[in-house]
Amino acid sequence: MIIIMRTGAPQEQIDGVVKALEERGYGIHLSRGVEKTIIGAIGALDEEKQLVAQQIETLPGVERVVPILKPYKLASKEFQPEPTVIRVGDIAIGGDRVVVMAGPCSVESEEQVLATARAVRAAGASILRGGAFKPSTSPYGFRGLEREGLELLRLAAQETGLRVITEVMDPRDVELVGEYADILQIGTRSMSNFMLLSEVGQARKPVMLKRGLSATIEEWLQAAEYIMLGGNHEVMLCERGIRTFETYTRNTVDINAVPAVKELSHLPVIVDPSHGTGRASLVGAVARAAVAAGADGLMIEVHPQPERALKDGHQSLRPDEFERLMKELAAVARAVARSL
Ligand code: PEP
Ligand code: MN
C-alpha cells in the first residue's frame, strides 16, 4: 500500500508512520518528492491490509492510504484516478491537446537541425526531437554528436521556440542532458536499465519512457514505477512498436496498448509511428490511428533530406509530407473531441 503524507509533514510524523508500519511487519520504501513524501509499504497479508490501512490513516500527517495489489502502484489508476497532465513551458501533455514531437532521428549538423526545427514548427509541432546520444544496434552505426548535438538542439529551440526532447542512455549523463533538454527520453533499449530509471527519477525534468522491444504492458508500467519511486512523477509512456514475427515492418505498433494503458494508469501515452513501422509510407496512417485510439501525443521523425540521413532516413517524413499529415491529424483529433 501507499501512504501519502500531507504537504510539509514534519520528519517526526514521517518517522511515526514508518515505525507503525515496521511494527506490523512491512518493508518500507520512502520517496521524497518536491512537495510530498510518499511511503511505499510492502509485505503483510492481503486480508490484513484493509485494517492496517485504516489504522495508519489515523496517524498524524497522513493524507491518504491507498491499498494497491498491482505490481506498480504510483503509476496505477487506483493511486490517482485523474489523468496526469505534464507541463513543459506552456505545453500541456495529457490534456485536451494532442502534442506533436517531431525532428530528425539524429542531430547531424547545425544546418540540418535548424532546417528541420523551422519546418516542423511551421507545420504545428511544439517539441523538437533529435538524438545526440544514439543507441545503435550495430556497433559500427552512427552514435551521435553527443554534447555538440545537445548544443545544436538548444540552439534550434532558441531560434524556433520549440521545446526539446532527447535521449539519455547513461546514468552519468542525466545531469548533462538535463541542462539542454526539456524532456528526458529513455529509449527502448534502456527500458530495463534500472540504474538509469532510478537516476532520472531523481531529476527535476519530465521523462518519456519508451516501451522495451519485448516488454509487456505490466513490465513497462513497472519501469515507470522505478522512475516515480525516485520522486519524479512526470512520466509519459511511449509505444514505439514491439517485436513480433512480422518482418515487413520494423516493429508492430501495439495500438491496443494505448487504451490499455489508459485503463490501467493515469500517465500520458505517446505513440511513435516512425520506429513503430520503420517505413515512411506507413507513418501517416498509424499516426492517425494513434490519435483516434486516444494517444496524448505523437513522436515523428522528419528529415529535410531523408535520402541523406545518417540514420532512419527510410522512416523519416519530408517536411512537406509532415505538413500534410499535421492537417489530417487535426481532423482526426477533432473527430475524437481533442485538438492538435
Ligand atoms: C529514438 O527515438 O531516437 C530511438 C532510438 O527510438 P527507440 O528507443 O524507440 O528505438
Ligand atoms: Mn530513429
Side-chain angles (χ1 to χ4, degrees), residues 53-91:
Q54 281 167 14
Q55 291 173 346
I56 298 295
E57 212 149 33
T58 65
L59 294 176
V62 174
E63 182 178 296
R64 201 152 51 101
V65 179
V66 192
I68 299 173
L69 301 175
K70 294 217 170 73
Y72 50 88
K73 302 184 191 299
L74 299 171
S76 72
K77 258 274 183 55
E78 289 92 331
F79 176 69
Q80 183 188 307
E82 64 278 8
T84 285
V85 179
I86 300 173
R87 292 186 192 278
V88 183
D90 56 1
I91 305 163

PDB file of all heavy atoms in Angstrom, residues 53-91:
ATOM      1  N   ALA A  53      -4.513  -0.348   6.804  1.00  0.00           N
ATOM      2  CA  ALA A  53      -4.715   0.921   6.092  1.00  0.00           C
ATOM      3  C   ALA A  53      -5.568   1.862   6.933  1.00  0.00           C
ATOM      4  O   ALA A  53      -5.252   3.042   7.084  1.00  0.00           O
ATOM      5  CB  ALA A  53      -5.371   0.664   4.744  1.00  0.00           C
ATOM      6  N   GLN A  54      -6.622   1.321   7.537  1.00  0.00           N
ATOM      7  CA  GLN A  54      -7.494   2.162   8.378  1.00  0.00           C
ATOM      8  C   GLN A  54      -6.741   2.702   9.587  1.00  0.00           C
ATOM      9  O   GLN A  54      -6.891   3.860   9.968  1.00  0.00           O
ATOM     10  CB  GLN A  54      -8.691   1.341   8.861  1.00  0.00           C
ATOM     11  CG  GLN A  54      -9.774   1.183   7.811  1.00  0.00           C
ATOM     12  CD  GLN A  54     -10.791   0.105   8.188  1.00  0.00           C
ATOM     13  OE1 GLN A  54     -10.841  -0.343   9.333  1.00  0.00           O
ATOM     14  NE2 GLN A  54     -11.578  -0.320   7.234  1.00  0.00           N
ATOM     15  N   GLN A  55      -5.908   1.835  10.185  1.00  0.00           N
ATOM     16  CA  GLN A  55      -5.169   2.267  11.378  1.00  0.00           C
ATOM     17  C   GLN A  55      -4.163   3.359  11.027  1.00  0.00           C
ATOM     18  O   GLN A  55      -4.065   4.373  11.708  1.00  0.00           O
ATOM     19  CB  GLN A  55      -4.438   1.058  12.003  1.00  0.00           C
ATOM     20  CG  GLN A  55      -5.402   0.061  12.619  1.00  0.00           C
ATOM     21  CD  GLN A  55      -4.702  -1.205  13.090  1.00  0.00           C
ATOM     22  OE1 GLN A  55      -3.546  -1.465  12.739  1.00  0.00           O
ATOM     23  NE2 GLN A  55      -5.408  -1.991  13.892  1.00  0.00           N
ATOM     24  N   ILE A  56      -3.438   3.152   9.917  1.00  0.00           N
ATOM     25  CA  ILE A  56      -2.384   4.108   9.526  1.00  0.00           C
ATOM     26  C   ILE A  56      -3.001   5.463   9.170  1.00  0.00           C
ATOM     27  O   ILE A  56      -2.444   6.513   9.440  1.00  0.00           O
ATOM     28  CB  ILE A  56      -1.554   3.555   8.343  1.00  0.00           C
ATOM     29  CG1 ILE A  56      -0.843   2.256   8.738  1.00  0.00           C
ATOM     30  CG2 ILE A  56      -0.552   4.568   7.796  1.00  0.00           C
ATOM     31  CD1 ILE A  56       0.196   2.359   9.810  1.00  0.00           C
ATOM     32  N   GLU A  57      -4.195   5.417   8.611  1.00  0.00           N
ATOM     33  CA  GLU A  57      -4.848   6.657   8.181  1.00  0.00           C
ATOM     34  C   GLU A  57      -5.141   7.584   9.371  1.00  0.00           C
ATOM     35  O   GLU A  57      -5.328   8.778   9.192  1.00  0.00           O
ATOM     36  CB  GLU A  57      -6.147   6.321   7.425  1.00  0.00           C
ATOM     37  CG  GLU A  57      -6.461   7.317   6.337  1.00  0.00           C
ATOM     38  CD  GLU A  57      -7.206   6.692   5.158  1.00  0.00           C
ATOM     39  OE1 GLU A  57      -7.995   5.754   5.379  1.00  0.00           O
ATOM     40  OE2 GLU A  57      -6.979   7.128   4.032  1.00  0.00           O
ATOM     41  N   THR A  58      -5.170   7.027  10.576  1.00  0.00           N
ATOM     42  CA  THR A  58      -5.468   7.860  11.747  1.00  0.00           C
ATOM     43  C   THR A  58      -4.221   8.571  12.279  1.00  0.00           C
ATOM     44  O   THR A  58      -4.331   9.442  13.136  1.00  0.00           O
ATOM     45  CB  THR A  58      -6.045   6.998  12.906  1.00  0.00           C
ATOM     46  OG1 THR A  58      -5.009   6.105  13.322  1.00  0.00           O
ATOM     47  CG2 THR A  58      -7.264   6.214  12.477  1.00  0.00           C
ATOM     48  N   LEU A  59      -3.028   8.184  11.795  1.00  0.00           N
ATOM     49  CA  LEU A  59      -1.792   8.779  12.347  1.00  0.00           C
ATOM     50  C   LEU A  59      -1.617  10.226  11.887  1.00  0.00           C
ATOM     51  O   LEU A  59      -2.034  10.587  10.784  1.00  0.00           O
ATOM     52  CB  LEU A  59      -0.578   7.943  11.922  1.00  0.00           C
ATOM     53  CG  LEU A  59      -0.514   6.524  12.492  1.00  0.00           C
ATOM     54  CD1 LEU A  59       0.673   5.768  11.910  1.00  0.00           C
ATOM     55  CD2 LEU A  59      -0.424   6.561  14.020  1.00  0.00           C
ATOM     56  N   PRO A  60      -0.977  11.067  12.710  1.00  0.00           N
ATOM     57  CA  PRO A  60      -0.789  12.464  12.326  1.00  0.00           C
ATOM     58  C   PRO A  60       0.074  12.611  11.069  1.00  0.00           C
ATOM     59  O   PRO A  60       1.051  11.867  10.907  1.00  0.00           O
ATOM     60  CB  PRO A  60      -0.086  13.100  13.543  1.00  0.00           C
ATOM     61  CG  PRO A  60       0.206  12.021  14.506  1.00  0.00           C
ATOM     62  CD  PRO A  60      -0.459  10.762  14.061  1.00  0.00           C
ATOM     63  N   GLY A  61      -0.323  13.510  10.196  1.00  0.00           N
ATOM     64  CA  GLY A  61       0.473  13.801   8.991  1.00  0.00           C
ATOM     65  C   GLY A  61       0.061  12.981   7.784  1.00  0.00           C
ATOM     66  O   GLY A  61       0.513  13.226   6.672  1.00  0.00           O
ATOM     67  N   VAL A  62      -0.821  11.990   7.990  1.00  0.00           N
ATOM     68  CA  VAL A  62      -1.198  11.125   6.858  1.00  0.00           C
ATOM     69  C   VAL A  62      -2.372  11.755   6.094  1.00  0.00           C
ATOM     70  O   VAL A  62      -3.381  12.116   6.682  1.00  0.00           O
ATOM     71  CB  VAL A  62      -1.597   9.715   7.355  1.00  0.00           C
ATOM     72  CG1 VAL A  62      -2.127   8.864   6.209  1.00  0.00           C
ATOM     73  CG2 VAL A  62      -0.402   9.049   8.013  1.00  0.00           C
ATOM     74  N   GLU A  63      -2.178  11.895   4.766  1.00  0.00           N
ATOM     75  CA  GLU A  63      -3.256  12.455   3.952  1.00  0.00           C
ATOM     76  C   GLU A  63      -4.184  11.348   3.453  1.00  0.00           C
ATOM     77  O   GLU A  63      -5.392  11.454   3.479  1.00  0.00           O
ATOM     78  CB  GLU A  63      -2.649  13.210   2.763  1.00  0.00           C
ATOM     79  CG  GLU A  63      -3.680  13.872   1.879  1.00  0.00           C
ATOM     80  CD  GLU A  63      -3.031  14.641   0.750  1.00  0.00           C
ATOM     81  OE1 GLU A  63      -2.308  15.627   1.028  1.00  0.00           O
ATOM     82  OE2 GLU A  63      -3.212  14.236  -0.413  1.00  0.00           O
ATOM     83  N   ARG A  64      -3.544  10.249   2.986  1.00  0.00           N
ATOM     84  CA  ARG A  64      -4.334   9.211   2.329  1.00  0.00           C
ATOM     85  C   ARG A  64      -3.557   7.900   2.342  1.00  0.00           C
ATOM     86  O   ARG A  64      -2.336   7.901   2.191  1.00  0.00           O
ATOM     87  CB  ARG A  64      -4.540   9.644   0.859  1.00  0.00           C
ATOM     88  CG  ARG A  64      -5.689   9.018   0.144  1.00  0.00           C
ATOM     89  CD  ARG A  64      -6.230   9.935  -0.964  1.00  0.00           C
ATOM     90  NE  ARG A  64      -5.208  10.432  -1.868  1.00  0.00           N
ATOM     91  CZ  ARG A  64      -4.966   9.941  -3.088  1.00  0.00           C
ATOM     92  NH1 ARG A  64      -5.642   8.928  -3.539  1.00  0.00           N
ATOM     93  NH2 ARG A  64      -4.057  10.504  -3.847  1.00  0.00           N
ATOM     94  N   VAL A  65      -4.266   6.797   2.499  1.00  0.00           N
ATOM     95  CA  VAL A  65      -3.634   5.481   2.388  1.00  0.00           C
ATOM     96  C   VAL A  65      -4.316   4.741   1.248  1.00  0.00           C
ATOM     97  O   VAL A  65      -5.542   4.676   1.190  1.00  0.00           O
ATOM     98  CB  VAL A  65      -3.781   4.668   3.695  1.00  0.00           C
ATOM     99  CG1 VAL A  65      -3.152   3.290   3.553  1.00  0.00           C
ATOM    100  CG2 VAL A  65      -3.150   5.412   4.862  1.00  0.00           C
ATOM    101  N   VAL A  66      -3.508   4.237   0.317  1.00  0.00           N
ATOM    102  CA  VAL A  66      -4.085   3.566  -0.847  1.00  0.00           C
ATOM    103  C   VAL A  66      -3.605   2.112  -0.872  1.00  0.00           C
ATOM    104  O   VAL A  66      -2.424   1.861  -1.136  1.00  0.00           O
ATOM    105  CB  VAL A  66      -3.653   4.273  -2.154  1.00  0.00           C
ATOM    106  CG1 VAL A  66      -4.473   3.770  -3.338  1.00  0.00           C
ATOM    107  CG2 VAL A  66      -3.772   5.781  -2.031  1.00  0.00           C
ATOM    108  N   PRO A  67      -4.496   1.164  -0.584  1.00  0.00           N
ATOM    109  CA  PRO A  67      -4.059  -0.236  -0.678  1.00  0.00           C
ATOM    110  C   PRO A  67      -4.079  -0.663  -2.143  1.00  0.00           C
ATOM    111  O   PRO A  67      -5.099  -0.523  -2.817  1.00  0.00           O
ATOM    112  CB  PRO A  67      -5.119  -0.999   0.126  1.00  0.00           C
ATOM    113  CG  PRO A  67      -6.203  -0.011   0.464  1.00  0.00           C
ATOM    114  CD  PRO A  67      -5.899   1.295  -0.194  1.00  0.00           C
ATOM    115  N   ILE A  68      -2.964  -1.107  -2.670  1.00  0.00           N
ATOM    116  CA  ILE A  68      -2.875  -1.454  -4.095  1.00  0.00           C
ATOM    117  C   ILE A  68      -2.262  -2.848  -4.228  1.00  0.00           C
ATOM    118  O   ILE A  68      -1.218  -3.136  -3.655  1.00  0.00           O
ATOM    119  CB  ILE A  68      -2.009  -0.414  -4.847  1.00  0.00           C
ATOM    120  CG1 ILE A  68      -2.666   0.968  -4.729  1.00  0.00           C
ATOM    121  CG2 ILE A  68      -1.873  -0.792  -6.327  1.00  0.00           C
ATOM    122  CD1 ILE A  68      -1.834   2.084  -5.273  1.00  0.00           C
ATOM    123  N   LEU A  69      -2.927  -3.673  -5.040  1.00  0.00           N
ATOM    124  CA  LEU A  69      -2.429  -5.045  -5.188  1.00  0.00           C
ATOM    125  C   LEU A  69      -1.560  -5.205  -6.429  1.00  0.00           C
ATOM    126  O   LEU A  69      -0.858  -6.187  -6.577  1.00  0.00           O
ATOM    127  CB  LEU A  69      -3.614  -6.015  -5.259  1.00  0.00           C
ATOM    128  CG  LEU A  69      -4.534  -5.966  -4.022  1.00  0.00           C
ATOM    129  CD1 LEU A  69      -5.751  -6.854  -4.202  1.00  0.00           C
ATOM    130  CD2 LEU A  69      -3.766  -6.378  -2.770  1.00  0.00           C
ATOM    131  N   LYS A  70      -1.597  -4.234  -7.356  1.00  0.00           N
ATOM    132  CA  LYS A  70      -0.834  -4.356  -8.605  1.00  0.00           C
ATOM    133  C   LYS A  70       0.664  -4.246  -8.338  1.00  0.00           C
ATOM    134  O   LYS A  70       1.089  -3.645  -7.354  1.00  0.00           O
ATOM    135  CB  LYS A  70      -1.239  -3.212  -9.536  1.00  0.00           C
ATOM    136  CG  LYS A  70      -2.684  -3.293 -10.007  1.00  0.00           C
ATOM    137  CD  LYS A  70      -2.778  -2.829 -11.448  1.00  0.00           C
ATOM    138  CE  LYS A  70      -4.148  -3.115 -12.026  1.00  0.00           C
ATOM    139  NZ  LYS A  70      -5.166  -2.201 -11.490  1.00  0.00           N
ATOM    140  N   PRO A  71       1.497  -4.781  -9.258  1.00  0.00           N
ATOM    141  CA  PRO A  71       2.950  -4.692  -9.043  1.00  0.00           C
ATOM    142  C   PRO A  71       3.484  -3.274  -9.266  1.00  0.00           C
ATOM    143  O   PRO A  71       4.610  -2.989  -8.960  1.00  0.00           O
ATOM    144  CB  PRO A  71       3.533  -5.662 -10.076  1.00  0.00           C
ATOM    145  CG  PRO A  71       2.477  -5.805 -11.124  1.00  0.00           C
ATOM    146  CD  PRO A  71       1.155  -5.596 -10.429  1.00  0.00           C
ATOM    147  N   TYR A  72       2.673  -2.401  -9.854  1.00  0.00           N
ATOM    148  CA  TYR A  72       3.033  -0.982  -9.934  1.00  0.00           C
ATOM    149  C   TYR A  72       1.954  -0.244  -9.170  1.00  0.00           C
ATOM    150  O   TYR A  72       0.792  -0.666  -9.175  1.00  0.00           O
ATOM    151  CB  TYR A  72       3.109  -0.517 -11.395  1.00  0.00           C
ATOM    152  CG  TYR A  72       1.899  -0.903 -12.193  1.00  0.00           C
ATOM    153  CD1 TYR A  72       0.778  -0.080 -12.237  1.00  0.00           C
ATOM    154  CD2 TYR A  72       1.837  -2.128 -12.849  1.00  0.00           C
ATOM    155  CE1 TYR A  72      -0.364  -0.455 -12.917  1.00  0.00           C
ATOM    156  CE2 TYR A  72       0.692  -2.521 -13.526  1.00  0.00           C
ATOM    157  CZ  TYR A  72      -0.393  -1.679 -13.559  1.00  0.00           C
ATOM    158  OH  TYR A  72      -1.524  -2.061 -14.202  1.00  0.00           O
ATOM    159  N   LYS A  73       2.340   0.759  -8.466  1.00  0.00           N
ATOM    160  CA  LYS A  73       1.369   1.402  -7.577  1.00  0.00           C
ATOM    161  C   LYS A  73       1.208   2.881  -7.892  1.00  0.00           C
ATOM    162  O   LYS A  73       0.125   3.350  -8.207  1.00  0.00           O
ATOM    163  CB  LYS A  73       1.816   1.176  -6.129  1.00  0.00           C
ATOM    164  CG  LYS A  73       1.923  -0.321  -5.857  1.00  0.00           C
ATOM    165  CD  LYS A  73       2.257  -0.676  -4.460  1.00  0.00           C
ATOM    166  CE  LYS A  73       2.608  -2.142  -4.294  1.00  0.00           C
ATOM    167  NZ  LYS A  73       1.552  -3.094  -4.656  1.00  0.00           N
ATOM    168  N   LEU A  74       2.337   3.625  -7.848  1.00  0.00           N
ATOM    169  CA  LEU A  74       2.262   5.069  -8.118  1.00  0.00           C
ATOM    170  C   LEU A  74       1.739   5.325  -9.524  1.00  0.00           C
ATOM    171  O   LEU A  74       1.102   6.336  -9.792  1.00  0.00           O
ATOM    172  CB  LEU A  74       3.648   5.701  -7.968  1.00  0.00           C
ATOM    173  CG  LEU A  74       4.283   5.590  -6.587  1.00  0.00           C
ATOM    174  CD1 LEU A  74       5.732   6.059  -6.629  1.00  0.00           C
ATOM    175  CD2 LEU A  74       3.501   6.391  -5.571  1.00  0.00           C
ATOM    176  N   ALA A  75       2.036   4.405 -10.446  1.00  0.00           N
ATOM    177  CA  ALA A  75       1.617   4.583 -11.845  1.00  0.00           C
ATOM    178  C   ALA A  75       0.178   4.144 -12.064  1.00  0.00           C
ATOM    179  O   ALA A  75      -0.370   4.320 -13.144  1.00  0.00           O
ATOM    180  CB  ALA A  75       2.542   3.770 -12.761  1.00  0.00           C
ATOM    181  N   SER A  76      -0.448   3.557 -11.033  1.00  0.00           N
ATOM    182  CA  SER A  76      -1.769   2.949 -11.262  1.00  0.00           C
ATOM    183  C   SER A  76      -2.912   3.955 -11.149  1.00  0.00           C
ATOM    184  O   SER A  76      -2.797   4.983 -10.482  1.00  0.00           O
ATOM    185  CB  SER A  76      -1.995   1.817 -10.258  1.00  0.00           C
ATOM    186  OG  SER A  76      -2.223   2.374  -8.974  1.00  0.00           O
ATOM    187  N   LYS A  77      -4.002   3.607 -11.773  1.00  0.00           N
ATOM    188  CA  LYS A  77      -5.235   4.394 -11.722  1.00  0.00           C
ATOM    189  C   LYS A  77      -5.810   4.429 -10.306  1.00  0.00           C
ATOM    190  O   LYS A  77      -6.431   5.402  -9.909  1.00  0.00           O
ATOM    191  CB  LYS A  77      -6.279   3.727 -12.642  1.00  0.00           C
ATOM    192  CG  LYS A  77      -6.450   4.417 -13.989  1.00  0.00           C
ATOM    193  CD  LYS A  77      -7.431   5.543 -13.899  1.00  0.00           C
ATOM    194  CE  LYS A  77      -7.777   6.283 -15.147  1.00  0.00           C
ATOM    195  NZ  LYS A  77      -8.251   5.535 -16.261  1.00  0.00           N
ATOM    196  N   GLU A  78      -5.577   3.332  -9.533  1.00  0.00           N
ATOM    197  CA  GLU A  78      -6.078   3.313  -8.152  1.00  0.00           C
ATOM    198  C   GLU A  78      -5.414   4.413  -7.343  1.00  0.00           C
ATOM    199  O   GLU A  78      -6.030   5.046  -6.506  1.00  0.00           O
ATOM    200  CB  GLU A  78      -5.778   1.962  -7.463  1.00  0.00           C
ATOM    201  CG  GLU A  78      -6.588   0.821  -7.987  1.00  0.00           C
ATOM    202  CD  GLU A  78      -5.885   0.090  -9.125  1.00  0.00           C
ATOM    203  OE1 GLU A  78      -5.094   0.738  -9.856  1.00  0.00           O
ATOM    204  OE2 GLU A  78      -6.123  -1.105  -9.288  1.00  0.00           O
ATOM    205  N   PHE A  79      -4.138   4.600  -7.590  1.00  0.00           N
ATOM    206  CA  PHE A  79      -3.381   5.618  -6.851  1.00  0.00           C
ATOM    207  C   PHE A  79      -3.857   7.015  -7.215  1.00  0.00           C
ATOM    208  O   PHE A  79      -3.995   7.888  -6.379  1.00  0.00           O
ATOM    209  CB  PHE A  79      -1.885   5.457  -7.147  1.00  0.00           C
ATOM    210  CG  PHE A  79      -1.041   6.525  -6.499  1.00  0.00           C
ATOM    211  CD1 PHE A  79      -0.890   6.573  -5.122  1.00  0.00           C
ATOM    212  CD2 PHE A  79      -0.411   7.483  -7.273  1.00  0.00           C
ATOM    213  CE1 PHE A  79      -0.132   7.554  -4.522  1.00  0.00           C
ATOM    214  CE2 PHE A  79       0.359   8.473  -6.677  1.00  0.00           C
ATOM    215  CZ  PHE A  79       0.496   8.507  -5.294  1.00  0.00           C
ATOM    216  N   GLN A  80      -4.072   7.221  -8.507  1.00  0.00           N
ATOM    217  CA  GLN A  80      -4.522   8.548  -8.968  1.00  0.00           C
ATOM    218  C   GLN A  80      -5.535   8.371 -10.099  1.00  0.00           C
ATOM    219  O   GLN A  80      -5.156   8.100 -11.234  1.00  0.00           O
ATOM    220  CB  GLN A  80      -3.306   9.351  -9.458  1.00  0.00           C
ATOM    221  CG  GLN A  80      -3.696  10.770  -9.877  1.00  0.00           C
ATOM    222  CD  GLN A  80      -2.555  11.506 -10.532  1.00  0.00           C
ATOM    223  OE1 GLN A  80      -1.465  11.589  -9.986  1.00  0.00           O
ATOM    224  NE2 GLN A  80      -2.797  12.036 -11.720  1.00  0.00           N
ATOM    225  N   PRO A  81      -6.800   8.516  -9.806  1.00  0.00           N
ATOM    226  CA  PRO A  81      -7.817   8.280 -10.851  1.00  0.00           C
ATOM    227  C   PRO A  81      -7.792   9.330 -11.965  1.00  0.00           C
ATOM    228  O   PRO A  81      -8.083   9.013 -13.113  1.00  0.00           O
ATOM    229  CB  PRO A  81      -9.139   8.329 -10.092  1.00  0.00           C
ATOM    230  CG  PRO A  81      -8.806   8.333  -8.636  1.00  0.00           C
ATOM    231  CD  PRO A  81      -7.392   8.783  -8.490  1.00  0.00           C
ATOM    232  N   GLU A  82      -7.468  10.575 -11.640  1.00  0.00           N
ATOM    233  CA  GLU A  82      -7.492  11.602 -12.689  1.00  0.00           C
ATOM    234  C   GLU A  82      -6.198  11.577 -13.507  1.00  0.00           C
ATOM    235  O   GLU A  82      -5.133  11.233 -12.986  1.00  0.00           O
ATOM    236  CB  GLU A  82      -7.760  12.999 -12.100  1.00  0.00           C
ATOM    237  CG  GLU A  82      -6.702  13.535 -11.169  1.00  0.00           C
ATOM    238  CD  GLU A  82      -6.804  13.031  -9.734  1.00  0.00           C
ATOM    239  OE1 GLU A  82      -7.634  12.124  -9.453  1.00  0.00           O
ATOM    240  OE2 GLU A  82      -6.032  13.500  -8.890  1.00  0.00           O
ATOM    241  N   PRO A  83      -6.298  11.899 -14.818  1.00  0.00           N
ATOM    242  CA  PRO A  83      -5.105  11.806 -15.668  1.00  0.00           C
ATOM    243  C   PRO A  83      -4.018  12.792 -15.255  1.00  0.00           C
ATOM    244  O   PRO A  83      -4.308  13.906 -14.822  1.00  0.00           O
ATOM    245  CB  PRO A  83      -5.622  12.153 -17.072  1.00  0.00           C
ATOM    246  CG  PRO A  83      -7.018  12.606 -16.929  1.00  0.00           C
ATOM    247  CD  PRO A  83      -7.491  12.338 -15.554  1.00  0.00           C
ATOM    248  N   THR A  84      -2.779  12.377 -15.387  1.00  0.00           N
ATOM    249  CA  THR A  84      -1.643  13.267 -15.139  1.00  0.00           C
ATOM    250  C   THR A  84      -1.467  14.194 -16.335  1.00  0.00           C
ATOM    251  O   THR A  84      -1.488  13.742 -17.480  1.00  0.00           O
ATOM    252  CB  THR A  84      -0.353  12.429 -14.941  1.00  0.00           C
ATOM    253  OG1 THR A  84      -0.416  11.843 -13.648  1.00  0.00           O
ATOM    254  CG2 THR A  84       0.909  13.271 -15.025  1.00  0.00           C
ATOM    255  N   VAL A  85      -1.330  15.466 -16.059  1.00  0.00           N
ATOM    256  CA  VAL A  85      -1.026  16.429 -17.111  1.00  0.00           C
ATOM    257  C   VAL A  85       0.365  16.980 -16.808  1.00  0.00           C
ATOM    258  O   VAL A  85       0.610  17.496 -15.727  1.00  0.00           O
ATOM    259  CB  VAL A  85      -2.075  17.564 -17.151  1.00  0.00           C
ATOM    260  CG1 VAL A  85      -1.724  18.576 -18.231  1.00  0.00           C
ATOM    261  CG2 VAL A  85      -3.469  16.993 -17.380  1.00  0.00           C
ATOM    262  N   ILE A  86       1.270  16.814 -17.772  1.00  0.00           N
ATOM    263  CA  ILE A  86       2.656  17.262 -17.570  1.00  0.00           C
ATOM    264  C   ILE A  86       2.846  18.582 -18.300  1.00  0.00           C
ATOM    265  O   ILE A  86       2.579  18.676 -19.496  1.00  0.00           O
ATOM    266  CB  ILE A  86       3.640  16.195 -18.083  1.00  0.00           C
ATOM    267  CG1 ILE A  86       3.419  14.879 -17.320  1.00  0.00           C
ATOM    268  CG2 ILE A  86       5.089  16.675 -17.955  1.00  0.00           C
ATOM    269  CD1 ILE A  86       4.203  13.703 -17.853  1.00  0.00           C
ATOM    270  N   ARG A  87       3.318  19.573 -17.565  1.00  0.00           N
ATOM    271  CA  ARG A  87       3.521  20.886 -18.201  1.00  0.00           C
ATOM    272  C   ARG A  87       4.969  21.098 -18.555  1.00  0.00           C
ATOM    273  O   ARG A  87       5.855  20.907 -17.731  1.00  0.00           O
ATOM    274  CB  ARG A  87       3.035  22.000 -17.277  1.00  0.00           C
ATOM    275  CG  ARG A  87       1.554  21.916 -17.165  1.00  0.00           C
ATOM    276  CD  ARG A  87       0.871  23.003 -16.409  1.00  0.00           C
ATOM    277  NE  ARG A  87      -0.497  22.565 -16.182  1.00  0.00           N
ATOM    278  CZ  ARG A  87      -1.477  22.662 -17.076  1.00  0.00           C
ATOM    279  NH1 ARG A  87      -1.278  23.239 -18.242  1.00  0.00           N
ATOM    280  NH2 ARG A  87      -2.680  22.188 -16.819  1.00  0.00           N
ATOM    281  N   VAL A  88       5.174  21.456 -19.818  1.00  0.00           N
ATOM    282  CA  VAL A  88       6.521  21.766 -20.299  1.00  0.00           C
ATOM    283  C   VAL A  88       6.409  23.167 -20.885  1.00  0.00           C
ATOM    284  O   VAL A  88       5.886  23.339 -21.989  1.00  0.00           O
ATOM    285  CB  VAL A  88       6.974  20.760 -21.384  1.00  0.00           C
ATOM    286  CG1 VAL A  88       8.404  21.033 -21.823  1.00  0.00           C
ATOM    287  CG2 VAL A  88       6.837  19.332 -20.887  1.00  0.00           C
ATOM    288  N   GLY A  89       6.820  24.168 -20.116  1.00  0.00           N
ATOM    289  CA  GLY A  89       6.567  25.542 -20.526  1.00  0.00           C
ATOM    290  C   GLY A  89       5.064  25.739 -20.645  1.00  0.00           C
ATOM    291  O   GLY A  89       4.318  25.391 -19.727  1.00  0.00           O
ATOM    292  N   ASP A  90       4.609  26.223 -21.804  1.00  0.00           N
ATOM    293  CA  ASP A  90       3.159  26.412 -21.938  1.00  0.00           C
ATOM    294  C   ASP A  90       2.478  25.226 -22.634  1.00  0.00           C
ATOM    295  O   ASP A  90       1.315  25.288 -23.003  1.00  0.00           O
ATOM    296  CB  ASP A  90       2.854  27.734 -22.671  1.00  0.00           C
ATOM    297  CG  ASP A  90       3.546  27.791 -24.022  1.00  0.00           C
ATOM    298  OD1 ASP A  90       4.237  26.813 -24.380  1.00  0.00           O
ATOM    299  OD2 ASP A  90       3.375  28.798 -24.727  1.00  0.00           O
ATOM    300  N   ILE A  91       3.212  24.128 -22.777  1.00  0.00           N
ATOM    301  CA  ILE A  91       2.623  22.928 -23.401  1.00  0.00           C
ATOM    302  C   ILE A  91       2.108  22.008 -22.293  1.00  0.00           C
ATOM    303  O   ILE A  91       2.798  21.806 -21.289  1.00  0.00           O
ATOM    304  CB  ILE A  91       3.688  22.170 -24.223  1.00  0.00           C
ATOM    305  CG1 ILE A  91       4.343  23.097 -25.235  1.00  0.00           C
ATOM    306  CG2 ILE A  91       3.112  20.937 -24.901  1.00  0.00           C
ATOM    307  CD1 ILE A  91       5.651  22.559 -25.771  1.00  0.00           C
TER     308      ILE A  91
END
